[in-house]
């Protein structure tokens, strides 16, 4: 049975609760991820003599389970993991977490209970990895990254450096052209690989498996990276722990005084590293430069290491560095000139501030390419600093931001205020090798200038109205309905309606309603494309290919609609896909039953009949019947969708009964208030017989109505539950595809349409209120108020 990723993630994160208290997230990550690793490799490779990971006798997850309640559980877990590590040459990598550490886990019974509970969590059915993995859906690797992201967030600013946000990793992976790789012997390298997520994500962009290589100074983090490559089903990936500057692991096979060269490189090295020269061995990194990088800032040291590690004439790389590398002077300026003159920089992408867990400063992606340097005439720049969403105390790139950056960069499309191809002459001659992005792209919002004339004499400046982007091209008659020429003054408008009526005028305008038809038509055309895909899901289908096709098509359909940003529409689809739809599609695909999932538990009816005694005797031994994937628990088709589809009358009856009850309760409260004795303690009710009789009548009526409602709801629940068992294939398709998926996406797009009216209303009202009262009017009003104040003071015997 397939599981939702959200359920898997929830179980894994719950396991962290068992360890909280004795250590912070930067420490307990090692324990959780180690157990995740043991569980995964045991499920995948146990009893497989040809498996990539050997599971020796006594070193599987089942052996861990046998330790539950053992008074020496911590010591025995350490022994078991050490045995697994030794059998796979992973000593010092997967056995860095010490489960017998009393200072972190606790002593005596506390340790026993804590570790026993932790193992029990990993026994949950949703953590059974034997059958829960689609061919191309990285369920376990993504779960690993989910934990890493949460650990990075919980670790705080100083301890989150081991994780590069997946959104940023995806950009690096897609801008180094690795998806077009044709050499099956190509290699990819990360000299500061941290937990390995960036390296792995980049490698997964290739059309076939690549040899991957990573180096990480921190031994614990290197262990995470090695576990990560195994969990991502790349057990042959090489990860080594050592200092990249003093002891680079990857050296030239023919000359160990030089660095090995790679086809592709990605990196997010520590920003502004101060001790990079400790034990430094040059390995030819600085041979082409007149000066060394600053002793107390290693940004350019990392950049030069990467350049030297790129294959001559063909190597490609993308590295994340702080913005300062683009414009700082002295030795860094000298090195930057050298790199620019050699045409090594293909592009620069400016990112929003506060994306990374280790720092809040803004960063950039420098894309390097040694291919065709002789023919390169400039640098392609993108200012993506304004495209993000707030996520707690951090900023996060949205799906639309990632897509816009990647597609713009790879197509080298110039977008005003966002991207531009900058000739080398402009960089070198005009800006003297300064690469600071604002010098080349003005992404700032235009200043909202105010009109002194309008403040003096009234009216709304015509330029302010005419310059509201795009609206009047789409709604030319709407403009005439709302604005007229200001009497006797050219170049100024007056509002023809009350400001409170502006929104209504927009939403009821014929052109605005016609525009909604265009929006609906674009969505219907997209549905026509999506229907054959989503109504015929098969086990061989790929989730990644499905969403790629759907997202590209929705962009195509909404490109020509001026007022709706196609990237906003793309975000609606991708946000829903990531939150819900991806899991839904995966469930259908993994269970290999298509839209016949409704019948997956019907085989219970075909079992041989048991006697009542046999049933009674075996009741305790039987496991609870597993809920349908489709069904009542709402994993694929939530209950409310079924109610809306088949039980409209019953729901309406309940609503009417609840409205009647609410009215009765309101009348009752009013009756009690009117008949309370004011001077009695606790506002006692009058004891008159008629009042008491009416009081009891109200009480009985309310009780009866509540019971009726409860009975109606109970009956509705029973009928709804039974209805799940009778779904036809066509009904399932309609409920899941039309009433759940399409309806949710359509609602998101309709919200964008409504936002068009809201934005236009806000701007019109803002301009009206700005110039509503002229300066002379305000001055006169102020003078009147001053007279009133003076008069009041005079009455009190004061004079101004």
């Amino acid at each position: 049975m397939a599981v939702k990723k959200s359920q898997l993630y929830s179980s894994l994160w719950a396991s962290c609760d068992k360890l909280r208290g004795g250590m912070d997230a930067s420490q307990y990550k090692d324990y959780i991820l180690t157990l995740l690793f043991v569980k995964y490799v045991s499920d995948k490779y146990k009893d497989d003599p040809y498996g990539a990971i050997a599971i020796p006798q006594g070193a599987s997850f089942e052996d861990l389970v046998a330790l539950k309640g053992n008074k020496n559980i911590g010591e025995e877990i350490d022994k078991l993991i050490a045995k697994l590590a030794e059998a796979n040459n992973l000593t010092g990598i997967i056995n860095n977490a010490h489960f017998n550490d009393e200072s972190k886990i606790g002593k005596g019974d506390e340790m026993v209970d804590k570790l026993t509970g932790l193992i029990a969590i990993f026994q949950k059915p949703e953590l059974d990895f034997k059958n829960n993995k689609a061919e191309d859906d990285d369920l376990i690797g993504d779960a690993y990254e989910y934990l890493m992201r949460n650990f990075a967030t919980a670790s705080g600013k100083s301890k989150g450096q081991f994780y590069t946000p997946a959104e940023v990793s995806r950009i690096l992976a897609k801008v180094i052209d690795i998806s077009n790789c044709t050499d099956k012997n190509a290699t990819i390298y990360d000299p500061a690989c941290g937990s390995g997520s960036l390296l792995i994500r980049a490698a997964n962009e290739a059309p076939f498996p690549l040899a991957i290589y990573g180096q990480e100074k921190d031994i614990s983090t290197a262990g995470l990276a090695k576990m990560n490559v195994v969990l991502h089903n790349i057990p042959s990936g090489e990860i080594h722990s050592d200092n990249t500057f003093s002891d680079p692991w990857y050296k030239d096979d023919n000359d160990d005084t030089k660095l090995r060269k790679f086809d592709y490189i990605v990196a997010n090295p520590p920003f502004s590293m101060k001790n990079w020269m400790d034990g430094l061995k040059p390995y030819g990194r600085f041979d082409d430069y007149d000066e060394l990088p600053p002793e107390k800032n290693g940004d350019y040291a990392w950049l030069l290491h990467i350049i030297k590690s790129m294959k001559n004439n063909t190597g490609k790389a993308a590295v994340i560095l702080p913005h300062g590398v683009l414009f700082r002077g002295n030795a860094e300026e000298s090195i930057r000139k050298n790199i620019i003159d050699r045409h090594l920089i293909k592009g620069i992408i400016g990112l929003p501030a506060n994306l990374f867990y280790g720092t809040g400063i803004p960063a950039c992606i420098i894309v390097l390419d040694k291919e065709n340097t002789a023919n390169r005439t400039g640098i392609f720049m993108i200012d993506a600093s304004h495209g993000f969403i707030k996520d707690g105390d951090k900023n996060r790139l949205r799906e639309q931001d990632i897509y816009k950056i990647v597609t713009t960069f790879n197509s080298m499309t110039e977008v005003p205020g966002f991207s531009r191809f900058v000739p080398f002459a402009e960089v070198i001659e005009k800006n003297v090798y300064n690469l600071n992005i604002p010098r080349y792209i003005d992404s700032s919002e235009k200043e909202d200038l105010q009109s002194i004339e309008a403040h003096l004499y009234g009216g709304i400046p015509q330029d302010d109205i005419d310059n509201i982007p795009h609206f009047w091209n789409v709604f030319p008659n709407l403009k005439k309905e709302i604005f007229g020429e200001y009497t006797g003054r050219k170049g100024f408008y007056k509002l023809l309606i009350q400001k409170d009526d502006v929104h209504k005028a927009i939403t009821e305008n014929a052109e605005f309603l016609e525009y909604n038809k265009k929006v609906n038509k674009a969505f219907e055309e997209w549905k026509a494309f999506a229907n054959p895909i989503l109504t015929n899901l098969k086990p061989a289908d790929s989730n990644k290919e499905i969403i790629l096709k759907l997202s590209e098509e929705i962009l195509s359909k909404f490109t020509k609609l001026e007022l709706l940003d196609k990237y906003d529409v793309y975000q609606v689809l991708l946000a829903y896909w990531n939150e819900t739809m991806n899991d839904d599609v995966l469930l259908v695909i993994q269970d290999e039953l298509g839209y016949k999932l409704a019948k997956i538990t019907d085989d219970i009816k075909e079992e041989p009949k048991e006697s009542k005694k046999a049933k009674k005797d075996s009741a305790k031994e039987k496991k609870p019947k597993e809920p349908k994937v489709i069904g009542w628990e709402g994993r694929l088709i939530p209950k409310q969708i079924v109610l809306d589809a088949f039980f409209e009358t019953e729901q309406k009856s309940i609503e009417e009964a609840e409205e009647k009850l609410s009215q009765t309760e309101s009348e009752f409260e009013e009756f009690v208030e009117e008949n309370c004795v004011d001077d009695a303690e606790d506002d006692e009710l009058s004891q008159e017989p008629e009042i008491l009789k009416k009081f009891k009548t109200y009480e009985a009526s309310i009780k009866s109505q509540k019971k009726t409602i409860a009975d109606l709801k109970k009956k509705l629940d029973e009928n709804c539950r039974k209805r799940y068992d009778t779904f036809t294939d066509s009904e399932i398709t309609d409920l899941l595809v039309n009433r759940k998926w399409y309806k949710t996406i359509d609602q998101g797009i309709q919200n964008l349409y409504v936002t068009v009216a809201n934005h236009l209303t806000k701007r019109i009202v803002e301009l009206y209120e700005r110039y509503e009262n002229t300066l002379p009017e305000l001055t006169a009003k102020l003078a009147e108020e001053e007279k009133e104040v003076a008069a009041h003071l005079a009455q009190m015997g004061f004079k101004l």
Side-chain angles (χ1 to χ4, degrees):
M1 181 69 65
V3 296
K4 283 190 175 184
K5 286 183 183 177
S6 55
Q7 294 174 323
L8 168 62
Y9 298 165
S10 177
S11 295
L12 290 176
W13 193 241
S15 67
C16 302
D17 290 328
K18 289 293 179 182
L19 295 177
R20 290 192 179 103
M23 62 190 93
D24 64 26
S26 65
Q27 296 173 315
Y28 63 66
K29 69 180 181 347
D30 300 327
Y31 294 86
I32 302 302
L33 295 175
T34 298
L35 288 184
L36 173 61
F37 178 83
V38 174
K39 181 68 168 73
Y40 176 69
V41 297
S42 295
D43 285 353
K44 187 169 180 65
Y45 299 118
K46 189 184 178 187
D47 301 325
D48 182 358
Y50 305 105
I53 298 294
I55 311 296
Q57 188 72 27
S60 70
F61 181 75
E62 286 76 8
D63 297 303
L64 271 182
V65 172
L67 295 175
K68 289 166 63 177
N70 189 313
K71 65 178 182 179
N72 297 319
I73 187 171
E75 180 183 355
E76 294 301 320
I77 291 176
D78 284 343
K79 289 179 181 178
L80 185 152
I81 294 172
K83 189 174 183 180
L84 180 63
E86 185 178 355
N88 293 282
N89 197 28
L90 295 174
T91 300
I93 294 175
I94 67 168
N95 60 330
N96 294 316
H98 302 296
F99 288 83
N100 200 37
D101 188 338
E102 294 181 343
S103 66
K104 292 184 174 68
I105 308 296
K107 299 180 180 179
D109 290 343
E110 181 185 0
M111 175 183 286
V112 173
D113 291 345
K114 187 174 288 187
L115 294 180
T116 295
L118 191 59
I119 293 170
I121 290 174
F122 280 84
Q123 287 182 273
K124 289 184 176 182
E126 54 264 42
L127 295 184
D128 179 1
F129 302 131
K130 293 184 182 72
N131 302 309
N132 280 341
K133 195 166 185 294
E135 184 63 29
D136 72 334
D137 193 83
D138 197 0
L139 192 67
I140 306 308
D142 288 346
Y144 180 95
E145 288 202 12
Y146 166 83
L147 288 173
M148 293 302 297
R149 183 171 64 253
N150 281 276
F151 289 143
T153 303
S155 295
K157 194 169 184 177
S158 63
K159 298 177 181 177
Q161 70 275 8
F162 50 78
Y163 176 73
T164 301
E167 297 84 9
V168 181
S169 298
R170 287 165 57 191
I171 294 175
L172 270 73
K174 292 178 182 292
V175 298
I176 57 174
D177 203 33
I178 198 169
S179 61
N180 293 318
C181 179
T182 57
D183 181 4
K184 294 191 175 182
N185 295 315
T187 55
I188 183 167
Y189 166 59
D190 185 342
C193 69
S195 63
S197 297
L198 170 57
L199 177 61
I200 293 164
R201 194 173 292 277
N204 285 341
E205 284 294 316
F208 40 75
L210 296 185
I212 73 171
Y213 303 89
Q215 183 160 343
E216 168 57 41
K217 181 179 180 181
D218 183 84
I219 188 170
S220 176
T221 306
L224 296 180
K226 184 59 182 176
M227 287 189 284
N228 200 357
V229 296
V230 173
L231 293 176
H232 278 80
N233 203 28
I234 318 173
S236 60
E238 288 192 28
I239 305 291
H240 289 280
S241 177
D242 222 325
N243 187 316
T244 299
F245 291 116
S246 61
D247 292 293
W249 182 268
Y250 303 105
K251 294 182 278 289
D252 191 302
D253 292 336
N254 300 317
D255 185 353
D256 63 5
T257 66
K258 295 181 180 179
L259 298 174
R260 185 189 299 186
K261 295 185 181 295
F262 299 89
D263 296 281
Y264 302 96
I265 301 175
V266 289
N268 178 19
F271 287 1
S272 306
M273 187 174 170
K274 298 185 184 303
N275 59 347
W276 70 274
M277 279 191 171
D278 293 351
L280 176 68
K281 297 180 183 66
Y283 287 97
R285 297 182 185 95
F286 316 116
D287 290 351
D288 301 317
Y289 308 91
D290 295 330
E291 297 187 62
L292 289 177
E295 181 179 355
K296 294 185 178 180
N297 190 322
D299 293 333
Y300 269 91
W302 285 108
L303 188 60
L304 298 189
H305 174 86
I306 288 168
I307 290 173
K308 185 59 69 173
S309 300
M310 295 166 64
K311 280 189 176 179
N312 297 332
N313 304 318
T314 60
K316 304 176 191 301
V319 55
I320 301 169
L321 291 171
H323 262 289
V325 301
L326 302 177
F327 54 80
R328 291 195 296 249
N330 302 318
E332 292 184 319
E333 182 179 9
S334 172
I335 297 169
R336 186 168 61 249
K337 286 181 179 180
N338 183 308
I339 296 171
I340 293 171
D341 286 339
R342 291 157 62 196
H343 297 183
L344 293 177
I345 300 177
K346 179 180 180 181
I348 300 170
I349 302 168
L351 298 171
N354 203 28
L355 284 182
F356 301 95
Y357 295 99
T359 179
I361 67 173
C364 63
I365 299 172
I366 297 181
V367 183
L368 303 162
D369 193 343
K370 288 187 177 181
E371 187 175 10
N372 295 324
T373 54
N375 298 321
R376 188 165 293 137
T377 59
I379 300 172
F380 190 76
M381 295 188 180
I382 291 179
D383 183 352
S385 59
H386 301 293
F388 62 88
I389 189 172
K390 292 293 294 181
D391 187 7
D393 61 351
K394 306 300 293 182
N395 295 331
R396 180 169 55 82
L397 295 173
R398 298 162 296 181
E399 290 291 340
Q400 68 186 82
D401 303 318
I402 299 167
Y403 184 88
K404 186 176 182 180
I405 291 169
V406 170
T407 54
T408 302
F409 186 88
N410 289 339
S411 64
M412 295 288 173
T413 302
E414 291 193 335
V415 179
F418 183 73
S419 61
R420 184 176 164 231
F421 183 82
V422 182
F424 282 125
E426 184 176 346
V427 173
I428 296 169
E429 297 168 13
K430 184 179 178 180
N431 289 288
V432 198
Y433 294 94
N434 188 316
L435 293 174
N436 197 18
I437 296 174
R439 284 176 174 253
Y440 306 96
I441 300 173
D442 182 7
S443 63
S444 61
E445 292 186 8
K446 290 185 179 181
E447 187 178 355
D448 189 9
L449 299 175
Q450 299 199 25
S451 168
I452 295 176
E453 186 178 352
H455 279 301
L456 287 172
Y457 306 116
I460 303 171
Q462 183 175 325
D463 287 345
D464 283 342
I465 300 300
D466 292 348
N467 290 335
I468 296 176
H470 308 305
F471 285 111
W472 310 132
N473 293 334
V474 182
F475 312 135
N477 292 323
L478 173 62
K479 182 179 177 183
K480 296 175 184 177
E481 291 179 13
I482 296 178
F483 297 104
E485 187 175 322
Y486 198 85
T487 306
R489 298 183 60 226
K490 290 185 178 181
F492 294 86
Y493 286 126
K494 65 178 179 181
L495 202 60
L496 298 177
I497 58 178
Q498 296 296 316
K499 68 177 182 180
D500 292 339
D501 295 331
V502 171
H503 188 267
K504 181 180 179 182
I506 294 171
T507 55
E508 293 182 357
N509 174 263
E511 293 170 329
F512 188 77
L513 296 173
E514 185 64 29
Y515 182 76
N516 191 34
K517 292 180 181 178
K518 294 180 180 179
V519 173
N520 292 335
K521 181 182 178 185
F523 184 64
E524 290 299 321
E525 289 176 351
W526 176 79
K527 282 170 56 178
F529 172 85
N531 259 327
I533 299 172
L534 296 177
T535 59
N536 294 284
L537 294 172
K538 301 176 291 294
D541 288 340
S542 160
N543 274 40
K544 293 178 182 178
E545 290 180 6
I546 288 171
I547 189 55
L548 179 62
K549 291 177 183 177
L550 297 181
S551 60
E552 291 287 348
E553 185 65 16
I554 208 166
L555 279 165
S556 172
K557 295 304 180 189
F558 283 86
T559 294
K560 295 180 181 179
L561 290 175
E562 286 187 67
L563 298 181
L564 282 194
D565 187 330
K566 65 179 180 180
Y567 295 111
D568 288 338
V569 177
Y570 176 89
Q571 178 66 26
V572 168
L573 172 61
L574 267 292
Y576 183 58
W577 176 270
N578 291 335
E579 180 184 346
T580 301
M581 197 172 165
N582 180 52
D583 281 337
D584 288 355
V585 171
L586 186 62
L587 286 171
V588 175
I589 290 172
Q590 283 188 332
D591 282 287
E592 302 184 9
L593 290 169
Y595 287 96
K596 295 181 180 179
L597 286 173
K599 308 194 187 315
I600 62 170
T601 56
D602 285 355
D603 57 354
I604 192 75
K605 300 172 184 176
E606 300 175 7
E607 293 178 357
K609 291 185 177 180
E610 291 183 280
S611 67
K612 290 184 179 180
K613 184 177 184 304
K615 286 182 179 180
K616 186 176 180 181
D617 292 342
S618 62
K620 294 182 180 180
E621 299 178 7
K622 280 191 174 182
K623 293 181 180 179
K625 181 179 174 181
E626 190 171 359
K628 308 176 178 181
V629 171
I630 208 82
W632 179 258
E633 285 70 18
R635 297 183 61 200
L636 265 180
I637 301 177
K639 172 183 172 184
Q640 190 59 50
I641 290 178
V642 178
L643 292 176
D644 292 342
F646 302 113
F647 299 98
E648 183 179 352
T649 302
E650 291 82 350
Q651 288 188 95
K652 189 173 182 181
S653 297
I654 292 173
E655 288 173 6
E656 291 173 350
E658 288 177 332
E659 287 176 6
K660 182 180 178 182
L661 172 62
S662 178
Q663 183 178 348
T664 304
E665 288 177 329
S666 179
E667 291 175 0
F668 181 46
E669 288 175 7
E670 192 175 320
F671 168 77
V672 171
E673 188 175 337
E674 289 176 353
N675 291 280
C676 282
V677 180
D678 292 338
D679 57 352
E681 290 186 11
D682 299 326
D683 292 335
E684 290 181 2
L685 195 69
S686 170
Q687 298 298 306
E688 294 182 18
E690 289 185 8
I691 292 175
L692 291 175
K693 181 179 179 182
K694 195 168 184 180
F695 178 86
K696 291 179 180 179
T697 301
Y698 268 122
E699 279 193 325
S701 176
I702 290 172
K703 183 178 180 181
S704 174
Q705 289 181 55
K706 285 183 176 179
K707 184 179 185 305
T708 298
I709 292 170
D711 290 342
L712 288 172
K713 287 183 175 180
K714 182 179 179 181
K715 184 178 180 181
L716 178 59
D717 277 358
E718 290 173 353
N719 290 338
C720 183
R721 185 184 291 270
K722 292 176 182 177
R723 190 66 178 85
Y724 274 90
D725 295 328
T726 63
F727 287 158
T728 64
D729 291 348
S730 61
E731 285 176 335
I732 294 171
T733 302
D734 177 58
L735 291 167
L736 183 59
V737 180
N738 295 322
R739 294 176 179 266
K740 184 181 181 183
W741 295 344
Y742 289 161
K743 185 177 180 180
T744 304
I745 297 166
D746 185 37
Q747 286 173 341
I749 295 173
Q750 286 298 315
N751 288 339
L752 296 178
Y753 166 74
V754 171
T755 301
V756 169
N758 293 341
H759 284 168
L760 182 55
T761 301
K762 180 181 178 183
R763 182 57 176 166
I764 291 172
V765 171
E766 178 185 42
L767 290 171
Y768 172 78
E769 291 178 342
R770 177 180 294 173
Y771 303 110
E772 184 176 6
N773 297 300
T774 65
L775 182 59
E777 289 172 345
L778 293 172
T779 303
K781 185 178 181 182
L782 178 61
E784 287 295 324
E785 290 176 348
E786 286 178 345
K787 286 181 180 179
E788 290 182 12
V789 172
H792 286 303
L793 290 173
Q795 291 177 357
M796 293 185 288
F798 297 98
K799 291 185 178 180
L800 289 177

